[in-house]
Amino acid sequence: MPDVVVSPATTQEVVAVVKTCSKMQVPMIPYGGATSIEGHLLAPLGGCSIDFSRMNAVKRLSKEDHDVTVQPGLGYLELNEMLKEHGMWFPLDPGPGASLGGMCSCSCSGSTAVRYGTMKDNVLSMTVVLADGQEVKTSSRAKKSSAGYDLTRLFVGSEGTLGIITEVTLKIHKIPAYSNSVRVSFDSIDAAAKTVQDTLAAGIQIGRAELLDDTMVQVLNKANNTRHREATTLLFELSGESPGSVADAQRAVLALAKKRGGGKPHVATNPEECRELWRQRKEALWSLMGLYPELECMTTDVCVPVSRLSDLIGQSKRELDASRLPAPIVAHAGDGNFHALIMFDRTNPADVAEADRLSSFMVHKALEMEGTCTGEHGVGVGKIKYLPEEHGDGAMHTMRVIKRGLDPGGLMNPGKVLAHRRDPQTGRLVLCA
Amino acid sequence: MPDVVVSPATTQEVVAVVKTCSKMQVPMIPYGGATSIEGHLLAPLGGCSIDFSRMNAVKRLSKEDHDVTVQPGLGYLELNEMLKEHGMWFPLDPGPGASLGGMCSCSCSGSTAVRYGTMKDNVLSMTVVLADGQEVKTSSRAKKSSAGYDLTRLFVGSEGTLGIITEVTLKIHKIPAYSNSVRVSFDSIDAAAKTVQDTLAAGIQIGRAELLDDTMVQVLNKANNTRHREATTLLFELSGESPGSVADAQRAVLALAKKRGGGKPHVATNPEECRELWRQRKEALWSLMGLYPELECMTTDVCVPVSRLSDLIGQSKRELDASRLPAPIVAHAGDGNFHALIMFDRTNPADVAEADRLSSFMVHKALEMEGTCTGEHGVGVGKIKYLPEEHGDGAMHTMRVIKRGLDPGGLMNPGKVLAHRRDPQTGRLVLCA
């Protein structure tokens, strides 16, 4: 728990908070939609939680330039409600409730990254307040620039540890005019993962390519009272600006699925059917938690080169299926990213240890396969222990140099991304080696 | 001129060079394809030029993952020769002769950025040698990651001032199966620029959208012995995986061009015709230099939000047309980026002053329009003076903190991006305020 919570309304108020905290040596923890799952919002060293719920305005919209400037407390669902009337959207879709500032901080993505990229690809510019209260405008509003170090992409994904985001300019996109969704089941994870690979290799423009394992289909069948075949399943979204281009893409995907032994496909063409298909996918976590109301969920987040996904899910699934903890899998298969949703009882030490063991197994396997311990959730406190293995000494050194340079007092969200401790002599926060 | 030139063959040799230079306090200037135009390769404070011509190997290729690992001295044209047989390409197209390491350093792009993005979007990972000789692997090979600060994108565009790139892993793409090119002329720059905006707003997938002003069409007509209408002209490339999708896109673009008063379009459908059209565009600079063999070219590079491009080109063109220096314009219109190719006599001080005045006019106008002084060429020594106006104090401070932290001795390509001077007392290089 933090020692104090403040709710600023403007960048100027954030500057005042930051200057006061720096003077008093109080850690600062930005607080957005509170949907992050790696402990980003915790205050392990005490401090001041900076709640952005009052800073949730849309400041400007340019339909011509396809960009919008918002305050960081605005939710992406609220932004999309506003954009819809202009035929536009901000396609990234992390957990519902996420705020755009938090999404920048954690460099999230979601099911649409295969088409639109991650936050790193969709933030044009930000205003950030540094530990000493200086305001930084990270970039102009031009679509591209080579004018010096890329501060936008340095602060995106820095999880509040280098500065506090007070304004964000995002790229927005036209809502595709035509969109179909396809559901196909497979006899093996390998056949499904290879189908996605084949689709990418063929250059087919897909909007989404999601994989559910058999356990997850079981969960969704129970929760939604459906009777889908309980086998590895792919959900594709195909979208474009003409019916012909969508039909061409759909035909090509279905042919590739068939070659890999895919079952009879279900094609959703009308908007309500498509929405229903993606609603069920989007609510997978809640469906699962509804089945185990007494348990909590640990969501893993490894990501590997696409060619290794099948192997990694295969190895992971053997461990998961052998475990007594329920742990279905959903994957953003087009990105090589998957989540195991491990259900466990936090009051039972054996459960906690088993969930940790499974998560650690997947991380180490992913790192062996040239992957990352977190594809889209961020480091927070939960993944700190894996960073040295993933990055090596040189990169860890570089991150610490940047952190020390921009936050010498260690007050910006300390204990996230890089470990901190309080020096017993001086009382100051210092970076651990 | 540098004091010495070395040609390392491996990362280990680069490490040895860097350690020696650091010990002896010798500035280090990486040297790739030597096509950069902002003075990146100069040695204004003396030092060691590190020539990467021997480090030009392809180290690995993954067709499955659409990525390739290369040494930095390899040219993008050579890489594409190799990739062609696999049906793939690395689409970014700066000046012919550019090396991939230099392209990373300057964060270049070119005519295909409207579809594929810039180097920032197409580098997966790099190996970089820091000033103290430490090797940094900036990232895993996963398509996305939220595991700490984005070092890849920090080093892309840092112009050798934070470290020296010794290995690069790039995203590569399937060569589109079908491709048409379209040429349309307009009565005004505004009508042409608006047509590109309309195309983007309609969500039409374009491969390229290039604008030539009337002066440039004159130049190309003379050089290629063609008789195109000497008016503002758009060149579009439309590509995709089915003939239908390309035809749909072409129809949509032509309809939009017609609405804006576009002339009778010329459509190139066979590969040779398309190649010829883009060859002429690609060789625009050489065509121009052929017409004025006694002059040199200063290429400007401003970039603004797309909605401001027409206004900026219009204002710039009035200045350029009124000047006695020839200065045709080519624009990557889909990105809001354009180049005026100002021909001048370097031995004539009045010419130099006039070229500088024109360039400075465009930069200041671009900055007023929320743009950048360099869309894709980088800062080098040429744009240093504009950075404070573009970025403001906070961002300049942040860049200096990063530079000082990673290169405390100021030896990595000093005097590029940020100004340096030699302290007369100590003889050491220090950052200017």
Side-chain angles (χ1 to χ4, degrees):
Chain A
M1 289 291 283
D3 299 304
V4 59
V5 176
V6 295
S7 300
T10 63
T11 296
Q12 285 63 42
E13 288 188 8
V14 174
V15 168
V17 168
V18 167
K19 284 187 171 169
T20 304
C21 285
S22 280
K23 196 169 150 194
M24 313 294 283
Q25 295 205 38
V26 174
M28 293 164 257
I29 304 110
Y31 190 100
T35 59
S36 72
I37 56 179
E38 293 296 348
H40 296 93
L41 308 171
L42 302 178
L45 296 153
C48 175
S49 179
I50 304 177
D51 162 35
F52 278 92
S53 57
R54 291 173 69 206
M55 289 179 69
N56 63 351
V58 176
K59 308 258 294 196
R60 49 163 289 286
L61 164 69
S62 167
K63 281 187 69 175
E64 296 76 25
D65 294 319
H66 288 208
D67 66 31
V68 65
T69 301
V70 303
Q71 290 185 309
L74 183 70
Y76 77 98
L77 293 173
E78 286 70 36
L79 175 64
N80 278 331
E81 273 305 306
M82 188 275 281
L83 292 175
K84 200 163 63 180
E85 64 188 90
H86 301 284
M88 313 210 58
W89 67 326
F90 184 70
L92 281 70
D93 61 344
S99 72
L100 289 154
M103 292 163 67
C104 290
S105 291
C106 294
S107 188
C108 75
S109 41
S111 66
T112 59
V114 69
R115 168 93 165 250
Y116 296 98
T118 72
M119 288 304 283
K120 291 174 186 176
D121 306 301
N122 286 283
V123 180
L124 263 185
S125 174
M126 293 188 289
T127 300
V128 175
V129 176
L130 300 182
D132 62 3
Q134 271 194 86
E135 278 177 57
V136 177
K137 184 86 166 56
T138 63
S139 173
S140 76
R141 203 159 63 77
K143 271 172 83 174
K144 63 183 200 186
S145 174
S146 294
Y149 309 151
D150 190 339
L151 301 183
T152 306
R153 275 137 160 157
L154 177 63
F155 284 107
V156 170
S158 66
E159 306 186 8
T161 65
L162 300 179
I164 296 176
I165 301 165
T166 62
E167 198 168 280
V168 182
T169 299
L170 299 163
K171 295 185 198 171
I172 53 177
H173 302 266
K174 180 182 180 297
I175 297 173
Y178 301 91
S179 184
N180 286 359
S181 296
V182 173
R183 175 182 194 116
V184 200
S185 66
F186 292 83
D187 290 334
S188 71
I189 285 172
D190 193 57
K194 289 267 167 52
T195 299
V196 174
Q197 256 187 65
D198 295 344
T199 306
L200 296 174
I204 300 164
Q205 182 169 285
I206 45 179
R208 293 178 159 103
E210 297 280 300
L211 182 152
L212 312 172
D213 78 343
D214 51 352
T215 318
M216 184 50 86
V217 179
Q218 274 172 29
V219 168
L220 293 186
N221 271 343
K222 274 188 202 160
N224 297 290
N225 201 19
T226 49
R227 297 182 59 186
H228 296 295
R229 182 184 167 214
E230 294 182 349
T232 311
T233 296
L234 289 181
L235 309 176
F236 283 102
E237 185 177 74
L238 305 158
S239 50
E241 294 310 311
S242 70
S245 66
V246 173
D248 286 345
Q250 181 185 306
R251 204 165 19 245
V253 167
L254 292 180
L256 293 171
K258 198 172 174 189
K259 263 195 195 161
R260 295 284 182 187
K264 190 175 173 321
H266 173 75
V267 179
T269 49
N270 72 62
E272 296 88 78
E273 233 186 324
C274 291
R275 253 199 304 277
E276 175 59 17
L277 184 149
W278 293 108
R279 182 194 63 75
Q280 291 187 17
R281 162 64 190 88
K282 198 75 207 153
E283 295 177 1
L285 175 62
W286 299 329
S287 295
L288 178 65
M289 292 175 77
L291 292 183
Y292 301 98
E294 75 289 1
L295 300 183
E296 284 187 57
C297 182
M298 176 189 285
T299 308
T300 68
D301 180 36
V302 294
C303 183
V304 290
V306 173
S307 66
R308 310 303 303 271
L309 184 65
S310 156
D311 188 12
L312 179 59
I313 296 184
Q315 292 194 43
S316 301
K317 201 163 156 51
R318 278 194 288 282
E319 290 292 314
L320 295 168
D321 287 351
S323 169
R324 61 191 170 71
L325 301 181
I329 283 175
V330 290
H332 306 310
D335 303 319
N337 183 208
F338 82 90
H339 309 300
L341 309 177
I342 308 171
M343 301 304 291
F344 71 110
D345 176 357
R346 189 178 290 281
T347 64
N348 177 348
D351 266 26
V352 174
E354 174 65 356
D356 276 339
R357 184 188 70 80
L358 292 168
S359 170
S360 179
F361 174 88
M362 284 179 261
V363 168
H364 290 296
K365 282 288 163 208
L367 297 185
E368 280 171 24
M369 296 180 185
E370 300 180 82
T372 176
C373 67
T374 172
E376 55 182 15
H377 293 166
V379 179
V381 297
K383 295 282 169 66
I384 284 184
K385 60 186 169 204
Y386 301 120
L387 284 206
E389 181 180 341
E390 175 166 340
H391 291 302
D393 291 344
M396 292 306 297
H397 165 77
T398 306
M399 291 189 200
R400 287 197 194 98
V401 164
I402 294 168
K403 169 71 177 175
R404 272 201 203 95
L406 291 175
D407 179 26
L411 297 173
M412 307 308 271
N413 213 0
K416 322 294 163 66
V417 184
L418 299 167
H420 290 72
R421 60 182 175 81
R422 195 177 288 276
D423 184 290
Q425 306 287 309
T426 63
R428 287 177 182 263
L429 297 181
V430 289
L431 268 180
C432 303
Chain B
M1 287 293 282
D3 300 303
V4 60
V5 176
V6 296
S7 299
T10 63
T11 296
Q12 286 63 43
E13 289 188 8
V14 174
V15 168
V17 168
V18 167
K19 283 186 171 168
T20 305
C21 285
S22 279
K23 199 170 147 192
M24 312 294 284
Q25 296 206 37
V26 173
M28 293 164 258
I29 305 111
Y31 190 100
T35 59
S36 72
I37 55 179
E38 293 296 347
H40 296 93
L41 308 171
L42 303 177
L45 296 153
C48 175
S49 178
I50 305 177
D51 163 36
F52 278 93
S53 58
R54 292 173 67 206
M55 289 178 70
N56 62 353
V58 176
K59 309 260 292 196
R60 49 165 289 286
L61 165 68
S62 169
K63 281 187 68 175
E64 296 76 25
D65 294 320
H66 289 209
D67 66 31
V68 65
T69 301
V70 303
Q71 290 185 310
L74 183 70
Y76 78 97
L77 293 173
E78 287 71 35
L79 175 63
N80 279 331
E81 273 305 307
M82 188 277 281
L83 292 175
K84 200 164 63 179
E85 64 188 270
H86 302 284
M88 314 210 55
W89 68 325
F90 184 70
L92 280 69
D93 61 344
S99 71
L100 289 154
M103 291 163 68
C104 290
S105 290
C106 294
S107 189
C108 76
S109 42
S111 68
T112 58
V114 68
R115 166 92 164 249
Y116 295 100
T118 72
M119 290 303 283
K120 291 176 187 177
D121 307 301
N122 285 284
V123 180
L124 262 184
S125 176
M126 292 187 291
T127 300
V128 176
V129 177
L130 300 182
D132 62 4
Q134 271 194 86
E135 277 178 57
V136 177
K137 183 87 167 53
T138 63
S139 174
S140 76
R141 204 161 61 79
K143 272 172 82 175
K144 63 183 201 185
S145 173
S146 294
Y149 310 151
D150 190 339
L151 301 183
T152 305
R153 276 140 160 156
L154 177 63
F155 284 106
V156 170
S158 66
E159 305 185 11
T161 64
L162 301 179
I164 295 175
I165 300 166
T166 62
E167 198 169 279
V168 182
T169 299
L170 299 163
K171 296 184 198 173
I172 53 177
H173 302 266
K174 180 181 179 297
I175 297 174
Y178 300 91
S179 186
N180 286 359
S181 295
V182 174
R183 175 183 192 114
V184 200
S185 65
F186 292 84
D187 291 331
S188 71
I189 285 172
D190 194 57
K194 289 266 166 56
T195 298
V196 175
Q197 255 188 66
D198 294 344
T199 306
L200 297 174
I204 300 164
Q205 183 168 282
I206 45 179
R208 291 178 161 103
E210 297 280 298
L211 181 151
L212 313 173
D213 78 344
D214 50 354
T215 318
M216 183 50 86
V217 178
Q218 274 173 27
V219 168
L220 294 185
N221 272 342
K222 275 187 202 163
N224 297 289
N225 201 18
T226 49
R227 298 181 59 186
H228 296 295
R229 180 184 167 214
E230 294 181 350
T232 311
T233 296
L234 289 181
L235 308 176
F236 283 102
E237 186 176 74
L238 305 158
S239 51
E241 294 309 313
S242 70
S245 66
V246 173
D248 286 346
Q250 182 185 304
R251 204 165 20 243
V253 167
L254 292 180
L256 293 171
K258 197 170 174 193
K259 263 195 195 162
R260 294 282 181 188
K264 191 175 173 320
H266 173 75
V267 179
T269 50
N270 74 62
E272 297 88 79
E273 231 186 327
C274 290
R275 253 199 303 277
E276 175 59 17
L277 183 148
W278 292 107
R279 182 194 64 73
Q280 291 188 17
R281 162 64 189 88
K282 197 75 207 155
E283 295 177 1
L285 176 61
W286 299 327
S287 297
L288 178 65
M289 291 174 78
L291 292 184
Y292 301 97
E294 73 289 2
L295 301 182
E296 285 187 58
C297 183
M298 176 189 286
T299 308
T300 68
D301 180 36
V302 294
C303 183
V304 289
V306 174
S307 66
R308 309 304 302 274
L309 184 64
S310 157
D311 187 13
L312 179 59
I313 296 185
Q315 292 194 43
S316 302
K317 202 163 156 48
R318 276 193 291 281
E319 290 292 315
L320 294 168
D321 287 352
S323 170
R324 61 189 170 74
L325 300 181
I329 284 175
V330 291
H332 307 309
D335 303 320
N337 184 207
F338 80 91
H339 309 300
L341 309 178
I342 307 171
M343 301 305 291
F344 71 109
D345 177 357
R346 190 179 288 281
T347 64
N348 177 348
D351 266 27
V352 174
E354 173 66 355
D356 277 339
R357 184 189 70 79
L358 292 168
S359 169
S360 179
F361 174 87
M362 284 179 262
V363 168
H364 290 296
K365 282 289 164 206
L367 298 184
E368 281 171 24
M369 295 179 185
E370 300 181 80
T372 176
C373 66
T374 172
E376 55 183 15
H377 292 167
V379 178
V381 297
K383 296 282 169 69
I384 284 184
K385 61 186 169 207
Y386 301 120
L387 284 205
E389 182 179 341
E390 176 167 340
H391 291 302
D393 292 344
M396 291 306 297
H397 165 79
T398 305
M399 290 189 199
R400 287 197 193 97
V401 164
I402 293 168
K403 170 73 176 172
R404 272 200 204 96
L406 291 173
D407 179 25
L411 297 172
M412 308 307 272
N413 213 1
K416 321 295 163 66
V417 184
L418 300 167
H420 289 72
R421 60 184 175 81
R422 195 176 288 278
D423 184 292
Q425 306 286 312
T426 63
R428 288 176 179 263
L429 298 180
V430 289
L431 268 179
C432 301

